[in-house]
Amino acid sequence: VTESGIKLSIDMLQKGNTTASMSFGQEGDGVATDVDEFNPSFSRAWPDLKAQLCPKMDPSIDEYGEKLFQLAYQEIKPKKNYESRPLVLDRFFSFGDAPTTLVPPGSSENNFTDAVVYLSTWKCANNQIRGFFNGYFAQQNRSLAVSHPQYPNISSEVLDGACIVMAIRDPITRFLSGYNELECRLPPEETLDKLARHQNLPQGTKQRFEQFLLDLLEGVASGAGAPLNKTGVRESDGHWSQLNHVYNMVGQLVMLRARSSKERLPDAIMPTLRDLNRDFPSFVVSSCPNAAPVIQGIDGEAMPIAGQHGSSSDPKGAYGAAKEVWADQGASARALCYLHAFDYSCFDMLPDGVPELCQEIYASEEFRSAILGSNAET
């Protein structure tokens, strides 16, 4: 159990890999954290920083969201401030997909305490998990309530009573993977409006990813697919739906608090996607004891290895290029640390912890002063 009361199945993280399983981006993708490294300055500073950035798993976006964006921007453009506040900032930390899968309650009582809700989180094996739920219950001739992001049909009453589960992964790894999928979903070159400057650069290059990050920070990363405004001009404010792939995971916490009358948090969070197909079914059963009659037998099912997007093979070289930028540990990599400070502070159960570079940044006097103000220790 974490400080916030979120249940975790720690034994899953200690198991040997006794069965064939699938890894979704935390192992072997070149972005893993070296947990053997220890930064004593970070260790001292991090508890106070977490308490400010994400008290009780409630990210302080109004207080620090724009500041984190500015710090990220100034890593790439030193001593330069925004000409205008990018509208993408309002979604980057706050976007939460609708809870997409509900295992309905088995009883006739309308309190939903034996129901299960899965919080859909983009680039966290979302298709894999939804497909598993739907496939298993279809075999039982039972239907699930599925909510499309634009047409949510899981009410606050359900969210108030149900057992809520979520799966997450390392935030920066997820961002790089999300960029890769975004690039693979682009329409043919000839249809691009080229509003976003990274689209003018060769695909699969470090320069294109670095420019994408700058475009994102300046709010011009939408490009193709951006909506037309009332005057018929195509917007470039970063609200292109594909950018949802790179927005912070804490948006799910924001969405859940907003849509439940009791300001709910997830009951259990699976902190890694390693061995997902082996461990997720038993994770759900152990996390939701009240729902045992409803989900009985689910932990006896192996989650099929399916649901990966076509971008997984990195057909355009975007993922490889993005990982090279992170490995360089330069200005763009440092900017990513600022952009994911909420994710690392809210999801403190990640097995690999905070990357060494981000530890260095979060322990710095500049960052501590920005977040803690006069309370920052020197």
Side-chain angles (χ1 to χ4, degrees), residues 132 136 281-282 285 295-303:
F132 171 69
Y136 175 76
S282 57
V285 170
I295 57 178
Q296 186 174 13
I298 197 173
D299 57 341
E301 293 288 313
M303 181 183 286

Side-chain angles (χ1 to χ4, degrees), residues 50-65 68 93-94 248-255 257 265 341-343 345-347:
K50 283 197 301 181
Q52 290 294 315
L53 289 167
C54 194
K56 298 181 179 179
M57 293 196 79
D58 186 9
S60 304
I61 296 169
D62 290 342
E63 292 82 1
Y64 302 113
L68 291 172
F93 299 119
S94 301
N248 269 196
M249 293 184 293
V250 294
Q252 290 296 82
L253 304 179
V254 175
M255 176 278 300
R257 283 180 180 270
L265 290 172
F342 283 134
D343 271 353
S345 58
C346 289
F347 299 114

